[in-house]
Amino acid sequence: MRVRNKPWAIELIPEHPELIVEHGQDLKGKWQTRFARKQPIFIEVGMGKGQFVINMAKKYPDYNFIGIEIQKTVVGIALKNALEFTLPNLQLLYADGADLTDYFDDGEISKVFLNFSDPWPKTRHEKRRLTFKSFLKVYKQILIDNGIIEFKTDNQGLFEYSLVSLNNYGMEFDNVWLDLHKSDENVENVETEYEHRFSVKGQPIYKLKAHFI
């Protein structure tokens, strides 16, 4: 996602330290202190404008959620959207999702959401894909034992690549959906901005759920 610079969005960030964290290395191992209650923490890597992570926090108050985004303007937009609600189980982190071990301690996270990540289709860019083995190693480190990854995309090539990558890493699949919106899983599905845009056009949405063993 690329958006034009919006000064108001960037200026909004320092006004709400209760909801947004810039960088966050000092909170490594201490993220529970940012929430009203101590409960399992789920993170979304690349939250975009926040539609998914905000609605997940609304729907599941018994879990804590952290949305992570590297683009400052986009973070500001997500912050504006989050401020429309009172969500004591939500935090936003302005940081690079490629450096998760800088922000989270071993076993601090219970689930990782990867939604509509950049497919990086060229072979020479394989290492940038968020389901490449080096990223999987990081997720396993910050996740609890048997920690879960949920991955959604509209990109068939990236989905097929991810199935192979996770399988080769030794992960166990809980389920795989080749057309999410035509499955029973869609009953409880929370959409992202991109997902809604693609699904209304009739494009299939692919999803997998897997855990480390």
Side-chain angles (χ1 to χ4, degrees), residues 3-38:
V3 298
R4 290 184 177 181
N5 181 45
K6 297 180 185 293
W8 67 262
I10 294 173
E11 292 167 2
L12 188 64
I13 292 173
E15 296 176 6
H16 293 279
E18 79 286 356
L19 181 56
I20 195 158
V21 174
E22 294 193 66
H23 309 301
Q25 290 91 338
D26 292 343
L27 284 169
K28 182 174 180 177
K30 305 173 185 176
W31 276 98
Q32 294 288 1
T33 64
R34 294 284 299 185
F35 297 99
R37 290 190 294 167
K38 184 177 180 180

Side-chain angles (χ1 to χ4, degrees), residues 33-193:
T33 64
R34 294 284 299 185
F35 297 99
R37 290 190 294 167
K38 184 177 180 180
Q39 46 197 19
I41 298 175
F42 297 170
I43 65 173
E44 182 186 13
V45 181
M47 69 173 168
K49 297 177 182 178
Q51 178 175 310
F52 176 82
V53 75
I54 292 168
N55 285 330
M56 287 292 286
K58 289 167 60 180
K59 187 172 184 176
Y60 299 105
D62 292 332
Y63 298 102
N64 292 329
F65 293 87
I66 302 171
I68 305 166
E69 177 59 48
I70 192 174
Q71 295 187 70
K72 199 165 189 175
T73 293
V74 179
V75 172
I77 295 171
L79 173 59
K80 180 178 182 293
N81 293 334
L83 288 170
E84 296 179 12
F85 311 96
T86 299
L87 295 169
N89 63 329
L90 176 66
Q91 289 286 295
L92 307 180
L93 173 60
Y94 167 47
D96 187 349
D99 301 322
L100 294 177
T101 53
D102 289 344
Y103 313 114
F104 302 108
D105 210 351
D106 295 358
E108 192 169 13
I109 304 303
S110 294
K111 184 182 289 189
V112 173
F113 293 103
L114 304 173
N115 293 318
F116 297 85
S117 311
D118 192 324
W120 294 106
K122 295 181 180 179
T123 303
R124 68 175 184 271
H125 293 149
E126 179 187 9
K127 293 181 179 180
R128 298 185 183 183
R129 298 171 193 162
L130 294 187
T131 50
F132 183 66
K133 60 185 177 181
S134 61
F135 285 100
L136 297 179
K137 180 180 179 181
V138 169
Y139 305 147
K140 185 175 184 180
Q141 184 173 336
I142 65 172
L143 281 165
I144 60 173
D145 292 341
N146 299 313
I148 295 170
I149 289 179
E150 290 195 18
F151 173 78
K152 290 195 289 187
T153 182
D154 67 305
N155 188 292
Q156 183 178 350
L158 179 61
F159 190 71
E160 292 171 350
Y161 170 85
S162 300
L163 288 172
V164 173
S165 182
L166 270 63
N167 180 70
N168 288 346
Y169 202 84
M171 295 187 69
E172 185 170 302
F173 292 96
D174 300 298
N175 217 324
V176 174
W177 296 268
L178 300 180
D179 197 340
L180 172 61
H181 288 235
K182 292 182 180 179
S183 72
D184 292 340
E185 179 72 2
N186 194 46
V187 175
E188 297 296 328
N189 181 50
V190 174
E191 288 187 323
T192 75
E193 301 99 292

